[in-house]
Amino acid sequence: MKEVLVLGGGFAGLRACRLLAKSKLDINITLVNNNDYHYDATALHTVSAGTSKPEEIMMKISNCISSKVNFIEDTVNNIDHDNKTVSLENNGRIKFDYLFNALGFESETFGTPGADKYGLQIWNMKSSIQNINKVNDNLKEYRKSKDKSYLSFAVIGGGFTGIELLGELAYMLPTWAKECDCDVNDFTITCIAPNCIPMFDEKLVHFALDYLHDKGVDFILGNDAKAKEITADGVYYGEDNKFVPAKTTFWTTGVKGNTVIKEAGYDQKRNRVVVNDTMALDAYPDEYLIGDVSAVMDKDTNRPYPTTGQISIQEASIAVENLKARLNNSKKVPFSYKSLGTVCSLGPTMGIAELPMGKKTIKIKGHSVSLLKHLVRMNTAFEIAGVKAAIQN
Ligand SMILES: Cc1cc2nc3c(=O)[nH]c(=O)nc-3n(C[C@H](O)[C@H](O)[C@H](O)COP(=O)(O)OP(=O)(O)OC[C@H]3O[C@@H](n4cnc5c(N)ncnc54)[C@H](O)[C@@H]3O)c2cc1C
């Protein structure tokens, strides 16, 4: 029986496990994940801002996988491609015949001074819980000292994560003002970014920024709005080192793949590896890289597609199809990305979206988008772990 090893219990890894377990292949499947739970990474910003409790976006791995999948809770340290083994922190080396590497993403600070020490980063459950703890500590400091600097927030980055996070922070302001016995206007939230959600239509971007501004967010945008240094008290940005005070600074400028990718000697860029159209590597054909550790080239732009949960799930499906094709000596199935649209929340009750409708794209904004976001999360849970997970979500 062939040993199939899946690394990482995120969207890509769980989707692969689900399809492998459903396949009629004569294989033994093992999943390694560093926690005994899966978290919905697309909702980590809600935990960071306190609009969700951690348990609302977590699921026990045992509830997400079939009884045909063996689960090992451990941390992957390295991969030996020649001997086809993976070394784990506590369980030594395990062998594989086929590998599905789905170790996911980490936050990227681009070496900006102070970003690692003072910037709150959103990349797993642990970091998100640390983030909300830091927010709560600062609110507590304000209640003790009445020093308004503890009510100052900055968000560096205007991408998806930055904008969605701003929506959650702004949503929390009335609650925090009540808890702190102060006025909502005593809080400041400043977003510093060269531009905001450029993947969206200009009118939707204006709507989003106006909405967030009305809720208390100030924007510093433009070519000069690049963070230079983060300190405990705020952010230096731009050519002439302007300063924005902030006791709580979130760093959301981008992500890279898992550092294990570099450690394992893959030919990588920012810990992401270009795969072929079967999601395998030409250098190591028995290894499939799926999700945020892979780079799938978009032939139209000659650049990799942006890493998302949506594409991760599609990649996992195609990788499993191609393992089946190999083992059954049938035709390979090339990857072809089908965008299901893009939804950006602006807090729990508002959002913007662009959805493909035939050859057109429909653009929507408003409260209905929040419902859509919820449906997307349910559908994702269904695709990676089945009906039970979708209902729980
Ligand atoms: C705030 C935020 C909002 C987002 N919103 C959206 C959205 O609306 N739509 C969308 O499509 N995408 C969104 N994304 C992107 C999406 O979350 C990622 O593309 C997706 O999570 C990638 O899935 P993955 O399975 O590759 O990796 P991950 O979700 O990162 O999963 C990796 C898994 O591997 C485990 N792991 C990591 N290192 C090790 C190790 N050394 N050993 C063992 N296990 C390990 C982790 O614990 C985790 O379970 C968002 C991301 C963020 C941060």
Side-chain angles (χ1 to χ4, degrees), residues 245-306:
K247 286 280 189 202
T248 312
T249 298
F250 282 93
W251 183 268
T252 72
T253 60
V255 294
K256 59 184 176 188
N258 195 302
T259 28
V260 170
I261 296 297
K262 197 172 176 187
E263 298 291 316
Y266 288 103
D267 182 8
Q268 51 78 37
K269 213 172 185 179
R270 291 173 59 201
N271 301 340
R272 295 175 70 199
V273 187
V274 176
V275 291
N276 62 32
D277 66 355
T278 69
M279 297 308 302
L281 298 182
D282 292 334
Y284 312 116
D286 298 332
E287 297 189 26
Y288 295 91
L289 270 81
I290 51 179
D292 281 14
V293 291
S294 68
V296 182
M297 297 309 285
D298 177 350
K299 292 193 179 88
D300 291 338
T301 61
N302 208 24
R303 291 168 62 100
Y305 286 107

Side-chain angles (χ1 to χ4, degrees), residues 8 10-12 33-34 41-42 76 103-105 258 291-292 308-310 373:
F11 293 123
N33 192 57
N34 53 1
T42 68
V76 174
L103 286 170
F105 70 94
N258 195 302
D292 281 14
T308 62
Q310 190 185 137
K373 184 94 182 173

Side-chain angles (χ1 to χ4, degrees), residues 126-266:
K126 213 166 137 193
S127 73
S128 301
I129 292 172
Q130 282 166 356
N131 295 345
I132 186 61
N133 287 344
K134 173 72 179 168
V135 170
N136 285 329
D137 285 350
N138 281 347
L139 297 182
K140 213 186 277 171
E141 277 305 322
Y142 169 77
R143 287 197 290 271
K144 261 202 288 186
S145 64
K146 295 290 170 194
D147 175 352
K148 283 190 186 167
S149 71
Y150 285 102
L151 305 180
S152 54
F153 290 75
V155 172
I156 313 301
F160 230 94
T161 302
I163 295 298
E164 290 204 322
L165 173 70
L166 287 164
E168 306 298 315
L169 294 173
Y171 182 85
M172 286 304 287
L173 290 186
T175 307
W176 289 338
K178 216 167 163 188
E179 280 171 16
C180 292
D181 196 19
C182 67
D183 195 272
V184 172
N185 295 319
D186 291 332
F187 287 86
T188 59
I189 305 178
T190 311
C191 173
I192 303 170
N195 60 8
C196 287
I197 40 174
M199 65 296 267
F200 277 97
D201 170 82
E202 221 172 285
K203 280 189 189 147
L204 287 182
V205 176
H206 276 139
F207 171 83
L209 300 197
D210 286 349
Y211 175 81
L212 292 171
H213 186 64
D214 279 353
K215 298 278 168 202
V217 178
D218 290 319
F219 288 92
I220 298 175
L221 304 176
N223 284 342
D224 198 41
K226 289 183 187 130
K228 286 280 181 63
E229 187 181 352
I230 313 299
T231 70
D233 296 316
V235 181
Y236 290 93
Y237 75 94
E239 283 311 315
D240 51 355
N241 275 326
K242 290 180 273 294
F243 184 70
V244 170
K247 286 280 189 202
T248 312
T249 298
F250 282 93
W251 183 268
T252 72
T253 60
V255 294
K256 59 184 176 188
N258 195 302
T259 28
V260 170
I261 296 297
K262 197 172 176 187
E263 298 291 316
Y266 288 103

Side-chain angles (χ1 to χ4, degrees), residues 351-372:
I352 56 173
E354 290 189 8
L355 307 171
M357 202 60 89
K359 285 195 174 141
K360 288 196 172 143
T361 301
I362 59 162
K363 294 157 193 168
I364 46 175
K365 55 182 189 284
H367 300 296
S368 57
V369 178
S370 328
L371 180 64
L372 184 64

